[in-house]
Amino acid sequence: MNPDRSSPGLRLPTAPFLEGVAAPPALPPPRSTARLPALARRMAGMPPSAVREILKVAERPDILSFAGGLPAPELFPVEEIAAAHAEVLRLSGRSALQYSTTEGFGPLREWIAAHLRHRGIAARAEELLITSGSQQGIDLVARVFLDPGDVVLVESPTYLAAIQAFAAYQVRLIAVPSDDDGMQVDRLAALIAAHRPKLIYLVPSFQNPKGTTLPPARRAALVELAAQHEVAILEDDPYGELAFTGPPPRPVAAGSHGNVLYLGTFSKTLAPGLRIGWLWGDARIVRKATIAKQAADLHTATLAQRATAALLARFDYEGHVARICEVYRERCQTMLTALAEHTPAGSRWVTPTGGMFVWLQLPSGLDADALLPTAIARRVAFVPGSSFFVDEIRRDFVRLNFSNQPPASIIEGMQRFGQVISVALAAA
Ligand SMILES: Cc1ncc(COP(=O)(O)O)c(C=O)c1O
């Protein structure tokens, strides 16, 4: 499940074997008067994702949505994935449909380890745990590290579904300010001294929602500081390979003193529906996460793991990722050009050098949450930035996704969006 989007309404085909059979009696309406049994206290701290609620509306076909964090589906290697599944089922169908180890499929872990070494991380296959998307990796690390009341330092703003995942463990999230280069690492020492965090969570490359990338000097300082204070770092890197202007940034984990846990995923480079991600780090911690995963879901789907390994064995992965980068670079540029043309003075954004998002600051006095219903009425959708903050909630930001719409729709959408801002500004 993409954390930013609920799946569109499924239309099930009529089952042929039911033809001619009388329809089952209609279900009575759901009972809403029954008292809800007492729930765990943790649920009170877990608000529903505001983004999901927006996306339910944004799925209307007449709306140009820039809200979901969705990759471009036309770039999914559908045929190659289908062929890999067919091959795995033909050659090793029984194993592929059987329960398997929690750690994950050996050849897939080997491929990922080699891939990470290529990116500068000294990874061995046995230090990797295959997860059901990197979202599960966040949850498992939280489960391994955090007791109620513990502190996690997060960038401000940060990834919405990480806020939700951490909230389940009844921890305190403390915001580390960020600027156009990501987390302000020079503010960390004071925050560590004041709050004694267990974990620092960040998305250092092409961040969600801001699109920012942490420069190498800040990465090195972060690793040093965390090691000095014995705080673990959780590096979440779903976008690192989607680099528009050069090679992917060197992960924070590449400079690790054993204190960085790294999350990766095939969600943005192959397809999120595969639900294949991974956790790399100190083998002792990964072992604990493996035990936690046993309790959570036993293992990630065997068939998906084996099919992904079969695909990667002969697929031009590098070439495929290069193609995605090319398409996203063009869409990003189209969005920035259209924003420059259609938004009123006072709108501000930072040019992303990769990833899937533009983070836009509205002209002074405008409120993104208040603007959304007008935008929906004008058939354009975005995510108000307020969802991504953990402390001081800012309402003057908007997150725009550029990967999921073709250039012509981006131009049309930004025109509508610009009008929405201009009208609100004139009325302010
Ligand atoms: C920062 C970040 N982390 C993790 C995820 C979850 O990705 P996955 O599909 O690998 O679970 C996303 C997805 O949008 C994300 O933006």
Side-chain angles (χ1 to χ4, degrees):
M1 184 171 66
N2 186 295
D4 272 6
R5 177 153 184 162
S6 49
S7 58
L10 266 182
R11 219 170 280 130
L12 294 172
T14 321
F17 59 86
L18 285 179
E19 270 166 26
V21 176
L27 283 174
R31 288 169 54 194
S32 54
T33 48
R35 257 177 77 86
L36 197 63
L39 301 179
R41 273 192 293 277
R42 76 174 69 88
M43 290 313 295
M46 289 180 70
S49 158
V51 175
R52 284 191 168 285
E53 300 308 314
I54 295 163
L55 283 164
K56 280 184 200 158
V57 181
E59 274 166 14
R60 272 177 23 204
D62 60 322
I63 290 184
L64 285 175
S65 178
F66 302 91
L70 303 181
E74 62 274 27
L75 297 178
F76 295 158
V78 176
E79 276 169 28
E80 292 87 344
I81 291 175
H85 278 80
E87 178 194 309
V88 164
L89 286 170
R90 185 162 41 82
L91 299 180
S92 50
R94 290 181 180 163
S95 313
L97 296 171
Q98 187 55 281
Y99 285 115
S100 52
T101 60
T102 306
E103 287 81 355
F105 185 50
L108 181 62
R109 293 162 81 208
E110 292 289 352
W111 189 97
I112 293 167
H115 180 65
L116 291 184
R117 288 196 293 275
H118 204 64
R119 290 197 58 199
I121 300 175
R124 295 187 183 85
E126 60 272 22
E127 296 161 345
L128 278 162
L129 169 65
I130 303 295
T131 57
S132 301
S134 48
Q135 186 65 33
Q136 185 182 45
I138 301 173
D139 182 66
L140 294 177
V141 169
R143 205 175 289 207
V144 165
F145 272 84
L146 304 172
D147 292 310
D150 280 346
V151 169
V152 180
L153 297 184
V154 299
E155 295 158 296
S156 181
T158 191
Y159 170 51
L160 173 63
I163 299 177
Q164 275 188 316
F166 288 128
Y169 295 91
Q170 297 168 284
V171 297
R172 278 199 304 138
L173 298 179
I174 302 286
V176 184
S178 69
D179 57 20
D180 293 352
D181 288 326
M183 181 181 270
Q184 288 176 255
V185 173
D186 57 348
R187 306 283 288 272
L188 265 180
L191 289 166
I192 292 174
H195 299 287
R196 303 265 153 231
K198 280 256 189 83
L199 207 59
I200 301 169
Y201 167 80
L202 81 166
V203 183
S205 303
F206 317 128
Q207 200 239 20
N208 179 3
K210 276 184 89 173
T212 48
T213 295
L214 201 68
R218 286 196 195 181
R219 291 178 189 236
L222 168 67
V223 170
E224 283 302 326
L225 202 64
Q228 201 182 323
H229 294 275
E230 298 183 351
V231 187
I233 296 170
L234 179 57
E235 175 179 25
D236 188 7
D237 192 26
Y239 304 104
E241 289 175 74
L242 305 183
F244 303 161
T245 56
R250 195 173 143 84
V252 172
S256 173
H257 295 302
N259 59 336
V260 183
L261 293 157
Y262 177 89
L263 297 176
T265 180
F266 288 122
S267 286
K268 318 297 177 186
T269 52
L270 292 178
L274 290 169
R275 305 311 300 132
I276 300 215
W278 58 88
L279 165 67
W280 171 83
D282 181 315
R284 293 163 302 177
I285 299 172
V286 173
R287 174 78 195 131
K288 295 288 183 198
T290 308
I291 295 168
K293 183 173 164 68
Q294 276 162 10
D297 66 353
L298 301 182
H299 60 78
T300 293
T302 320
L303 177 59
Q305 291 190 64
R306 283 183 177 247
T308 303
L311 171 79
L312 292 166
R314 71 178 61 87
F315 185 56
D316 177 14
Y317 180 81
E318 301 292 325
H320 178 68
V321 173
R323 168 97 185 105
I324 297 174
C325 291
E326 205 179 287
V327 172
Y328 288 7
R329 186 194 304 117
E330 189 203 348
R331 292 182 182 192
C332 178
Q333 193 47 57
T334 304
M335 180 172 275
L336 297 177
T337 307
L339 283 172
E341 193 173 334
H342 299 295
T343 56
S347 313
R348 180 185 177 271
W349 56 87
V350 181
T351 299
T353 52
M356 303 191 345
F357 304 107
V358 170
W359 182 245
L360 178 136
Q361 186 169 23
L362 295 168
S364 159
L366 293 191
D367 177 322
D369 294 73
L371 225 54
L372 185 61
T374 322
I376 298 284
R378 288 185 177 250
R379 295 173 294 114
V380 61
F382 56 79
V383 180
S386 54
S387 315
F388 303 94
F389 290 91
V390 297
D391 55 356
E392 186 208 352
I393 308 290
R394 298 282 303 262
R395 297 170 80 93
D396 52 341
F397 286 97
V398 162
R399 190 194 74 177
L400 296 165
N401 165 266
F402 53 75
S403 55
N404 191 239
Q405 295 282 2
S409 303
I410 292 175
I411 295 169
E412 169 66 27
M414 292 309 101
Q415 213 166 347
R416 293 182 196 175
F417 177 61
Q419 276 167 8
V420 171
I421 306 178
S422 300
V423 169
L425 196 60

